Amino acid sequence: MNVLVCVKRVPETGARITLTPDEQAIDTTLLGFTISPHEECAVEEALRIVEAHGGSTTVLTLGPAGAIEQLQNALAMGVGTAVLLETDGGDWGAEATAAALVEAIRLRPEPFDLLLFGNEAADSGDYQVGVRVAHALGLACVTGIKSITIDNGRLTARREAGGGWEIFELPLPALVTVKEGINLPRYASLPGRLRAKKTTIERIEPRPRTSPLETIRLVVPPEQETHVEIIGEGADAAPRVVEVLRDLGLVAS
């Protein structure tokens, strides 16, 4: 099995997002970066498949030079080869990203039996890149998957639906987008991290693709407001505490 995992460098989940003054990009000055939980599970799933069936694993990302950190994390977990489609850090939409990935995949010396993507990126959440890549390569594709098994050259994928499961059978090669919860990703060991630092990462400069879509401006969703009520201090607050508990139905009137 020759398995490819595509990941994306995104701001750390839970980080406070601010925009540049022109509202055209995220201000990354104080941000840390990671990959989305879905993609962490995709990396883990690739490793498990190769451990069970033999073969090789490759991790691929499109992004700035700083994305080497995310590739090294995947290498430290056990992935064999890493490829960076290096950009200047500017925004690439789903259409341009998919086109660059397809071009890079077609240039690989050996074809892939399975391509794994996260179901959606943690920042844009557009759900498009994996499907676009599958369409361009003419591959069978299923999305939102929580279980994968492979037997006799066929892949069985399971997706949660309405309290039950949808089950798909696909011929290989195929492309699957996975969701968080399909597995529990392993931690990278210290020897793995040291080995990843020494592993050569292939760098390719992709050709930007023009898009008819134009970004007007970005908008940060309003933060959820919270309210704090000080009901008193010390023993004097006890009667008010009882009233609050009664209002919440936690104690009998």
Side-chain angles (χ1 to χ4, degrees):
M1 289 289 295
N2 190 13
V3 184
L4 172 70
V5 187
C6 291
V7 301
K8 181 183 180 184
R9 179 180 188 254
V10 298
E12 288 184 350
T13 53
R16 185 184 181 91
I17 302 298
T18 58
L19 303 179
T20 55
D22 61 2
E23 297 182 322
Q24 293 296 303
I26 295 174
D27 185 352
T28 61
T29 306
L30 302 177
L31 282 179
F33 288 88
T34 184
I35 63 174
S36 76
H38 300 304
E39 292 170 345
E40 286 183 313
C41 290
V43 172
E44 174 65 25
E45 195 65 18
L47 294 171
R48 294 189 183 193
I49 289 171
V50 169
E51 287 169 355
H53 300 278
S56 61
T57 51
T58 301
V59 62
L60 170 65
T61 193
L62 180 144
I68 284 178
E69 178 184 357
Q70 282 66 54
L71 294 177
Q72 287 176 333
N73 287 341
L75 291 170
M77 289 174 66
V79 171
T81 305
V83 181
L84 171 63
L85 304 183
E86 188 170 355
T87 71
D88 61 1
D91 182 52
W92 286 52
E95 183 180 6
T97 298
L101 294 178
V102 167
E103 184 175 358
I105 291 167
R106 285 175 171 159
L107 291 175
R108 302 310 296 168
E110 295 184 8
F112 293 103
D113 300 297
L114 178 61
L115 285 71
L116 295 177
F117 285 69
N119 197 53
E120 78 271 7
D123 55 351
S124 57
D126 51 25
Y127 299 83
Q128 292 189 41
V129 175
V131 176
R132 286 179 177 273
V133 170
H135 177 73
L137 295 175
L139 298 177
C141 174
V142 288
T143 61
I145 297 305
K146 296 290 284 285
S147 172
I148 294 174
T149 56
I150 298 174
D151 187 35
N152 293 326
R154 293 189 67 84
L155 180 146
T156 302
R158 291 157 58 91
R159 178 169 64 197
E160 290 181 320
W165 293 91
E166 293 177 336
I167 301 176
F168 304 87
E169 290 188 356
L170 291 79
L172 295 177
L175 187 150
V176 177
T177 74
V178 304
K179 296 189 71 172
E180 182 182 9
I182 189 174
N183 55 47
L184 181 62
R186 69 194 70 186
Y187 288 102
S189 65
L190 179 58
R193 292 187 181 279
L194 294 175
R195 183 174 59 253
K197 293 287 186 181
K198 300 177 182 178
T199 301
T200 300
I201 294 176
E202 182 180 351
R203 297 190 185 208
I204 300 172
E205 186 175 342
R207 295 177 297 176
R209 176 173 175 172
T210 58
S211 172
L213 300 178
E214 178 186 359
T215 300
I216 304 300
R217 67 187 181 99
L218 301 179
V219 178
V220 177
E223 295 185 7
Q224 184 176 358
E225 295 184 359
T226 58
H227 300 277
V228 177
E229 178 186 356
I230 299 175
I231 59 178
E233 297 180 0
D236 294 338
R240 179 63 180 133
V241 171
V242 173
E243 291 180 15
V244 171
L245 294 176
R246 284 175 177 165
D247 291 342
L248 295 174
L250 299 177
V251 297
S253 299

